[in-house]
Amino acid sequence: MTTAPDGFAPGDRVRTRAVDPAGHTRLPRYARGAVGVLVERAGRHPLADDRARGLTGPARSVWHVRFAAADLFGEGDHTVTVELWEDYLTRIEEQR
Amino acid sequence: MSGDHGSSRISAQVRHVETLLESRGLLAAGEVDGRIDEFLAGGTPANGARIVARAWADPGFAERLLADANTAIREVGLSMAGGLQEQRLKVVANTAETHNVVVCTLCSCYPIALLGPSPSWYKSEAYRSRVVRDPRGVLTEFGLELPAGTAIAVWDASAESRYLVLPRRPEGAASLTEAELAGLVTRKGLIGTAAV
Amino acid sequence: MSRINDVGGMAGFPAIVEEPDEPPFHADWEAHVLALNGALIKRGVYNLDEFRDAQERLPVQQYLGASYYERWFAAISTLLVEKGVATADELAVDDHGA
């Protein structure tokens, strides 16, 4: 895994990784390649994807990321807040 | 306990593996029984009910609970340190505008050390697959009809935090003691598939 | 590749069934599997993420056909072999000798 990106803040708009990894991950399929908003930092932990392969990496931020259901499923008026490692996220700079 | 052939077969397999691990020094004699006793004496939904009742009775506690649940629950003698390691507890509060409901779509993450084992329906693919997509429909099946104007927030426990829903205090519960308030709270209320 | 555990938003599962007054475990062996897993993780034989990964790698038909704690036991058995703790033959129990 690459070095974790820095400088995320609540309110940032992010896009989740779209790739379908070969191994264990904690980015659910339904939330891949989607745009959401950072709600709150949920601590710092080594990446689960690495730990599942017996690797120990540095702790990095985990975020509550809120999505509109319509952006995930094309329908629904609810929100879904998923807890995601910053490695899964890219900030959408031009939207700020 | 079930005594059918499938159950007795896997029961024998588990015993066999335990014996093997004991012989290899990876399991101490009595360790499994000790862990089971510890587990059964640990978490219970009553812990969640106590937290909720205190939050209803004390707005200051509710505020601290929503800001930092791990610290706040020590005020009622509870902690999140009972499992393999201390886990972060995230409490989400229902309001007149928003109802919260918790799921783990990837496995079955749940605050076991605090609340005990989760119900089977929480672990089922049926619940995990549908509640993120159609929470209103799922809640209706649980008998919870929310007003059309109430927003629904689904929380997917996909990483390290564990979640607890703080239900809204029922109308007409003003004269109840904290213990009586705790008696109103159900496990489903703590997950978000019931109002309280 | 997407794995069978990753079910959020999938169609086709049966109705949600609630079990009134559900006990913590439905058989003694389920409690033993839970305790065994905790002991092995605490000893560092494997970690929690490796345990989840081992469940996710079960063949799809086996995963969906197994109960919750049957999956756990299958994952524990997989990891004990992969970590070199025991061979599959050693883990297997003779049906008639059980």
Side-chain angles (χ1 to χ4, degrees), chain C residues 37-59:
Chain C
N37 188 52
L40 291 168
I41 289 175
K42 190 178 163 209
R43 263 190 183 64
V45 174
Y46 51 82
N47 67 40
L48 183 58
D49 303 274
E50 291 173 310
F51 173 63
R52 290 189 182 127
D53 178 64
Q55 287 190 60
E56 296 165 10
R57 288 188 281 125
L58 291 172

Side-chain angles (χ1 to χ4, degrees), chain B residues 16 18 24 108 120 128-129, chain C residues 5 9 22 32 68 85 90:
Chain B
H16 172 73
E18 279 179 40
R24 307 224 154 147
S108 55
S120 284
R128 291 163 44 217
S129 62
Chain C
N5 65 297
E22 184 177 359
H32 279 248
Y68 185 73
V85 172
E90 287 171 328

